[in-house]
Amino acid sequence: MRLVLLGAPGSGKGTQAARLKEHLQVPHISTGDLLRAEVAAGSPLGLQAKQVMARGDLVSDDILLGMLRDRFSRDDTRAGFILDGYPRNLAQAAALDKLLAELGQAFDAAVQLTVDNEQIIERLAGRAKAEGRADDTPESVRHRLNVYDQQTAPVIDFYRQHGQLTVVDGVGSLDEVFTRILEAIQPGHEVG
Ligand code: ADP
């Protein structure tokens, strides 16, 4: 199963992706996690990305595509993948289509998790306390939500126009949302 997870920061993509990974036995590829690992390692790429991420802006498309290409060159992605945090703008959506075509793959569904902005802000405030992520400050959160509306909303339209979009209500318990996602991607299957 090859999935692309879409949704605003704080919509629960990361949490649900971790569960889907166990359930579907395919790798979870989070571009945010990949970038944070580079920052933590102090690599040249990490140094470049650090400030951009702390502000809540998008790291350059070239860096992202290079990272993704690298990740997809590993054998474990042949079984499938759950892509979380990419694509975040139309150029990335086009780059992903191209990369997958080169690999002779196509994804099965783009799943959008919807959560209203008020709830998102509440959730991210909670996460800021719990995890202390550098980009969960109120200014950065506000900025990330703007970036999401301006740059990622067109990606959702793009997949809708291509008939690849599945919309899932992201409000509810973790189990409820997980069940909804499974029903959306595997209609008729028993949720075990
Ligand atoms: P969230 O969705 O909660 O903001 P992520 O972990 O997905 O968190 O991303 C954190 C930050 O990493 C983003 O704000 C951005 O700076 C950078 N980033 C992650 N994915 C991408 C991407 N596809 N393109 C550009 N920047 C990205």
Side-chain angles (χ1 to χ4, degrees):
M1 175 78 67
R2 303 185 192 99
L3 291 181
V4 174
L5 281 188
L6 302 167
S11 61
K13 296 189 302 286
T15 315
Q16 295 298 337
R19 294 189 162 204
L20 285 166
K21 168 193 157 143
E22 293 306 318
H23 187 84
L24 301 169
Q25 292 292 306
V26 296
H28 167 205
I29 303 176
S30 155
T31 51
D33 286 349
L34 291 174
L35 286 166
R36 279 186 289 276
E38 297 285 345
V39 172
S43 69
L45 193 159
L47 292 177
Q48 235 178 303
K50 189 173 178 182
Q51 304 304 326
V52 181
M53 291 172 75
R55 282 202 305 269
D57 279 321
L58 295 187
V59 175
S60 87
D61 291 346
D62 287 351
I63 288 185
L64 263 294
L65 185 59
M67 250 177 32
L68 212 59
R69 219 179 246 294
D70 228 47
R71 185 61 188 85
F72 275 111
S73 72
R74 284 169 50 188
D75 281 350
D76 62 346
T77 57
R78 284 201 205 140
F81 55 79
I82 300 148
L83 190 54
D84 155 18
Y86 193 97
R88 266 177 148 91
N89 60 31
L90 279 178
Q92 292 184 2
L96 177 64
D97 271 357
K98 193 156 165 253
L99 177 61
L100 290 179
E102 278 169 32
L103 298 170
Q105 298 185 355
F107 64 81
D108 297 289
V111 177
Q112 180 197 8
L113 284 181
T114 56
V115 178
D116 59 67
N117 266 7
E118 250 169 67
Q119 227 184 98
I120 292 270
I121 289 169
E122 238 172 72
R123 285 186 187 183
L124 290 176
R127 189 169 83 184
K129 277 203 194 124
E131 295 178 18
R133 240 174 71 171
D135 60 350
D136 279 344
T137 62
E139 307 83 72
S140 177
V141 164
R142 220 174 305 123
H143 189 60
R144 269 149 64 217
L145 289 175
N146 282 337
V147 168
Y148 179 81
D149 283 340
Q150 282 165 21
Q151 306 207 37
T152 313
V155 173
I156 288 164
D157 288 337
F158 175 88
Y159 288 139
R160 185 180 292 119
Q161 278 162 20
H162 287 75
Q164 292 167 300
L165 186 72
T166 304
V167 181
V168 171
D169 180 2
V171 180
S173 72
L174 295 181
D175 283 342
E176 279 165 357
V177 176
F178 184 61
T179 304
R180 282 180 207 140
I181 296 175
L182 290 183
E183 279 165 357
I185 61 174
Q186 313 177 308
H189 279 234
E190 278 292 310
V191 178

